[in-house]
Amino acid sequence: MHDEKKYLWEPVSSPEYLPSLAESRRYLCLDRDVVPSEGDMHGSTYLVTKAWADNVIRDCIGHGDRFVFRKGQPAHAFTP
């Protein structure tokens, strides 16, 4: 998974607020926060299953926008 991270960036419910990653409810490090099955979660409310992560990634690829952020780049220099 190459140290990839996924933000679940949800739409803003009111047009008076600009979208912001700071308002993201979830930030997942795919090599740390994804486990093979629910049995591997051991009661965690933060970990997610591989099936759940795969489903979200598939949905994002099919319906979402992709933004790539690289270390050392200014925040405004993202690649859509």
Side-chain angles (χ1 to χ4, degrees):
M1 293 190 202
H2 311 304
D3 196 33
E4 287 189 34
K5 294 156 181 68
K6 298 292 181 224
Y7 288 90
L8 299 184
W9 190 4
E10 299 174 46
V12 181
S13 59
S14 174
E16 66 188 77
Y17 298 106
L18 295 174
S20 169
L21 280 176
E23 300 299 321
S24 176
R25 291 189 308 156
R26 295 294 307 267
Y27 166 82
L28 299 170
C29 188
L30 295 182
D31 60 351
R32 182 190 66 212
D33 302 324
V34 178
V35 295
S37 70
E38 286 191 27
D40 298 305
M41 294 175 74
H42 304 291
S44 171
T45 58
Y46 191 80
L47 297 175
V48 298
T49 64
K50 182 172 182 342
W52 182 91
D54 288 346
N55 187 49
V56 169
I57 292 167
R58 203 171 21 259
D59 186 54
C60 290
I61 290 169
H63 306 286
D65 294 316
R66 180 177 182 197
F67 297 89
V68 177
F69 298 88
R70 291 184 174 77
K71 289 181 181 179
Q73 274 189 321
H76 65 277
F78 64 85
T79 305

